[in-house]
């Protein structure tokens, strides 16, 4: 724990309560303080995403590179509202101040996911091949839907496929959950990527099952925004990101004015 701020070491040693309902409520409350700003930035974020998807190969890669800096903008503005600080629309783009470290954090997390799910994927592919045999996909004689469904049932009942699915889903879920606060530690505590990932893992481990439930619930609420032709997502998506910030701020005592204020990076001043 030598590279962790004193406040974070105390959180890891002492633990914390996880108030799931309060975080969801605070997420909606925070965007309500600047509804136009959060919805406007969500629209900008979506426009950048869809524009990038229209450019083959380069577009998706470029979006993957800049998205960590864009995503932290929601938390930055949420923090300023939570602490009574004035905001401008430009604050949503402040993440580019720490663009390199935020991207490295996302890259390392992604590489860990790939490394840990690869054995599961290999096992699933082996299971599919053992069931279907060579030429299954291109077999022009297999046009009967009953044959197709029968083949699919054989694939998903295969032991290798089932085992591979578990070996892929479980580590991917675990890594996604325990490192979900890494970018926040980079941004709010001025930590390096790997140190931030370790801080995220150690803090979230104190309340892992509650955090897993929170991530699942936030995902469901965010998905509900896809209803009404997807219009609602520009409201539910930033609300759940603000809820994630609220959980992080509460767990790490980010909004406390007294104590280890020197541990928090004071890089907000240029945005004032």
């Amino acid at each position: 724990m030598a590279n962790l701020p004193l406040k974070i070491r105390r959180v890891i040693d002492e633990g914390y309560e996880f108030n799931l309902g309060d975080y969801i409520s605070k997420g909606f409350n925070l965007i309500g303080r600047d509804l136009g700003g959060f919805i406007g930035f969500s629209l900008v974020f979506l426009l950048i995403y869809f524009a990038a998807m229209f450019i083959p190969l380069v577009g998706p890669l470029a979006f993957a590179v800049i998205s960590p800096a864009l995503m932290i903008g929601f938390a930055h503005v949420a923090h300023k509202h939570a602490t009574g600080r004035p905001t401008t629309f430009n604050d949503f783009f402040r993440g580019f101040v720490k663009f390199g470290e935020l991207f490295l954090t996302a890259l390392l997390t992604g590489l860990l996911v790939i490394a840990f799910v690869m054995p599961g994927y290999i096992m699933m592919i082996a299971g599919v091949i053992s069931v279907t045999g060579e030429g299954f996909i291109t077999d022009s004689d297999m046009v009967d839907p009953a044959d197709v469904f029968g083949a699919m049932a054989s694939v998903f009942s295969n032991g290798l496929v089932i085992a591979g699915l578990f070996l892929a889903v479980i580590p991917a879920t675990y890594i996604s959950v325990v490192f979900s606060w890494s970018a926040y530690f980079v941004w709010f505590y001025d930590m390096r990527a790997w140190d931030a990932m370790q801080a995220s893992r150690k803090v979230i481990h104190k309340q892992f099952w509650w955090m897993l439930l929170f991530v699942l619930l936030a995902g469901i609420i965010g998905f509900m925004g896809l209803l009404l032709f997807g219009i609602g997502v520009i409201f539910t998506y930033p609300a759940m990101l603000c809820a994630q910030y609220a959980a992080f701020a509460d767990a790490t005592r980010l909004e406390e004015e007294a104590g280890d204020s020197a541990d928090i990076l004071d890089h907000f001043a240029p945005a004032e």
Side-chain angles (χ1 to χ4, degrees):
M1 293 189 190
N3 294 322
L4 301 184
L6 177 60
K7 178 185 289 187
I8 303 306
R9 279 183 268 170
R10 286 207 299 260
V11 169
I12 295 171
D13 291 339
E14 300 169 8
Y16 57 93
E17 293 185 4
F18 197 94
N19 304 302
L20 189 152
D22 291 346
Y23 304 145
I24 298 294
S25 177
K26 189 170 183 179
F28 283 105
N29 178 270
L30 283 170
I31 70 164
R33 300 183 191 183
D34 188 9
L35 189 60
F38 279 106
I39 289 180
F41 184 63
S42 297
L43 288 173
V44 171
F45 185 87
L46 288 174
L47 286 174
I48 294 174
Y49 169 77
F50 286 118
M53 293 306 107
F54 275 107
I55 306 174
L57 187 60
V58 176
L61 287 176
F63 182 78
V65 170
I66 67 173
S67 60
L70 291 172
M71 292 281 289
I72 203 65
F74 290 99
H76 176 55
V77 173
H79 178 70
K80 296 189 78 172
H81 281 298
T83 53
R85 301 162 69 90
T87 65
T88 68
F89 194 71
N90 288 338
D91 286 330
F92 284 104
F93 298 92
R94 285 285 293 153
F96 288 96
V97 170
K98 293 186 71 66
F99 165 77
E101 210 65 40
L102 290 168
F103 169 67
L104 180 59
T105 302
L107 177 63
L108 290 174
T109 303
L111 291 175
L112 280 175
V113 171
I114 292 173
F116 279 93
V117 304
M118 192 60 68
Y121 280 131
I122 293 174
M123 190 174 292
M124 282 191 288
I125 292 172
V128 170
I129 293 174
S130 69
V131 170
T132 61
E134 185 178 357
F136 166 71
I137 301 298
T138 58
D139 190 350
S140 60
D141 295 330
M142 185 173 287
V143 294
D144 189 342
D147 293 336
V148 174
F149 286 120
M152 291 176 62
S154 298
V155 167
F156 286 106
S157 62
N158 179 269
L160 281 175
V161 173
I162 295 173
L165 184 62
F166 276 100
L167 284 177
V169 171
I170 292 176
T173 301
Y174 173 80
I175 293 171
S176 299
V177 171
V178 298
F179 293 134
S180 58
W181 288 351
S182 301
Y184 295 160
F185 279 108
V186 169
W187 184 251
F188 293 111
Y189 287 92
D190 194 27
M191 298 176 69
R192 296 294 184 181
W194 186 251
D195 290 337
M197 292 170 66
Q198 294 308 306
S200 177
R201 179 182 60 81
K202 291 175 181 178
V203 172
I204 288 177
H205 252 291
K206 306 297 291 187
Q207 294 285 2
F208 175 78
W209 295 109
W210 276 111
M211 186 64 181
L212 175 61
L213 179 61
F214 171 73
V215 170
L216 292 174
L217 181 59
I220 292 171
I221 295 174
F223 179 78
M224 289 172 62
L226 295 176
L227 303 177
L228 299 176
F229 305 100
I231 296 176
V233 74
I234 62 174
F235 178 73
T236 58
Y237 182 70
M240 291 305 95
L241 290 178
C242 287
Q244 183 77 271
Y245 157 79
F248 171 81
D250 184 49
T252 65
R253 305 161 192 172
L254 179 66
E255 296 168 11
E256 290 182 359
E257 295 182 357
D260 304 305
S261 58
D263 288 332
I264 303 177
L265 175 64
D266 186 19
H267 60 255
F268 300 122
E272 300 292 354

